[in-house]
Amino acid sequence: MTEEVKLFGTWASIFSRRIEVALKLKGVQFEYIEENLSNKSPALLKYNPVHKKIPVLVHNGKPVAESLVILEYIDETWKHNPILPTDPYEKAMARFWAKYIDDKLWPAVTKVLVSKGEEQKGVIEEIQEQLKTLESELKEKKFFGGESLGFVDIAANIIVFLLVAQEALGMEILTEEKFPVLHGWYQRLVDDAVFKECMPPREQHLSSVKVWFGSSTPSK
Amino acid sequence: MGDEIILLDFWPSMFGMRVRLALAEKGLKYEYKEEDLRNKSPLLLEMNPVHKQIPVLIHNGKPICESLIIVQYIDEVWHDKSPLLPSDPYQRAQARFWADYVDKKLYGLGRKVWSTKGEEQETAKKEFIECLKLLEGELGEKPYFGGEKIGFVDVALVTFSCWFYAYESCGNFSIEAECPKLIAWTKRCKEKESVSSSLEDPHKVHGFVMGMRKRFGIE
């Protein structure tokens, strides 16, 4: 039976980029549909009526929404090149860190872009604490997933956005001096053939962030 | 091999109750440790240094945190008895989606219902009922979200039901009037020993919430 796999996403969304990475790691052929979030397609609204958001994966006509849920679905459906560990404890740890990234790091990163002055300084400190916490989990490992990139590395692609944002707005949050371990991991991440291919085009990403968030006062 | 299972918990927590329910479904013996959240134990701080929150499951000395992650862990380790997640990947994704929906929406809205007044409370009440109606629609004609037996979404949601009386009392509304099928589902769940033994008495929860309102100075 021929598989029909569609991914609804947007070029700048790190969430839909996560799904691209996972599908490409598994060698799954898919059709990508770029959504315009200010004019959502009838298809998107039909496939994700609850949240009306991207990414949505549609596999043989059946939709799956929420990026971490989609990643687990992909891992369970196409079993080669696993992105989650098989051991239940290791799997629980991977889920914990992916959730940490989504529940803590993501809201802080979006907040830092729209806050100013003292409030922004406070959020920057918060993000740096979170980055320290992630470093303590990474330790000596090549990737969060061990020898090859896995679930947590894919979830941590938020750091791609953070680095673009800090450059676009002239902030210094994640630097090599402050976070040597994370910096090393990041170099390995963006060097990975599949991950590299799925990153938003840098210049375009930088300009968009400047346009969307450029009115915030940068702080050093 | 003897398994050593410890649960760090706080009695009114609907998140802690999810773990109690999953352990009961699997027929597992464990040691329950009540935490005083205003004076967290060294064990809690050691086992959950990142969030310092309950519930924490400690299995043979190794901690697992975050209630839905713990429930999935329990389901995967003790997979022979009463499976909570279906085996089909698409159905598993749907179960995870809805459990995630409960987490994203219900706690925050419920909290606003008991801890705010006036327009903020009215807005929270409306949204809260909308969420419950959506969940009711997802349940449909099935006896449980898991189908013929209770599953992951049932575990994620039913523990909120012992907070309903507190929400209704603070918000002056009736959940049963708005979502009769959902209330029927909670009653059906509570017929199971594992559920009734894991949920707290709604009146006791109500007393706890009244105490919290007093502490926060809400009239």
Side-chain angles (χ1 to χ4, degrees), chain A residues 48 50-51 53 59 62-66 69 72-73 76-77 79 86-93 95-97 99-100 103-104 133, chain B residues 48 50-51 53 59 62-66 69 72-73 76-77 87-94 96-98 100-101 103-105 134:
Chain A
N48 192 359
V50 175
H51 299 301
K53 285 181 174 173
H59 183 204
K62 301 202 292 189
V64 184
E66 292 301 303
V69 174
E72 293 218 36
Y73 174 76
E76 289 171 4
T77 303
K79 295 188 167 53
T86 40
D87 171 68
Y89 188 76
E90 296 305 316
K91 200 181 279 197
M93 292 302 104
R95 287 175 176 145
F96 175 88
W97 287 107
K99 187 176 203 296
Y100 177 81
D103 286 357
K104 302 286 180 188
T133 302
Chain B
N48 191 357
V50 174
H51 300 302
Q53 277 172 11
H59 182 208
K62 300 205 291 192
I64 304 105
C65 310
E66 297 298 309
I69 294 176
Q72 286 186 88
Y73 173 80
E76 286 159 17
V77 172
S87 46
D88 171 69
Y90 185 73
Q91 287 176 27
R92 289 161 74 84
Q94 295 314 301
R96 288 180 179 132
F97 174 86
W98 286 107
D100 172 73
Y101 178 83
D103 265 8
K104 276 187 164 73
K105 300 283 191 182
L134 193 66

Side-chain angles (χ1 to χ4, degrees), chain B residues 107-162:
Chain B
Y107 179 73
L109 289 171
R111 193 185 168 92
K112 280 192 179 167
V113 168
W114 71 254
S115 68
T116 65
K117 296 178 291 188
E119 212 178 307
E120 198 182 352
Q121 191 189 45
E122 283 310 304
T123 309
K125 269 164 64 178
K126 277 200 189 80
E127 282 184 42
F128 183 76
I129 288 295
E130 270 165 31
C131 290
L132 290 185
K133 283 193 167 142
L134 193 66
L135 287 159
E136 207 179 38
E138 173 55 24
L139 177 66
E141 299 306 311
K142 301 193 297 284
Y144 305 101
F145 286 90
E148 292 304 308
K149 293 192 286 204
I150 76 162
F152 192 58
V153 181
D154 301 276
V155 171
L157 181 59
V158 78
T159 60
F160 279 79
S161 68
C162 60

Side-chain angles (χ1 to χ4, degrees), chain B residues 6-19:
Chain B
I6 301 171
L7 173 61
L8 307 183
D9 201 347
F10 177 52
W11 71 266
S13 165
M14 61 282 268
F15 303 106
M17 286 178 226
R18 288 168 168 176
V19 181

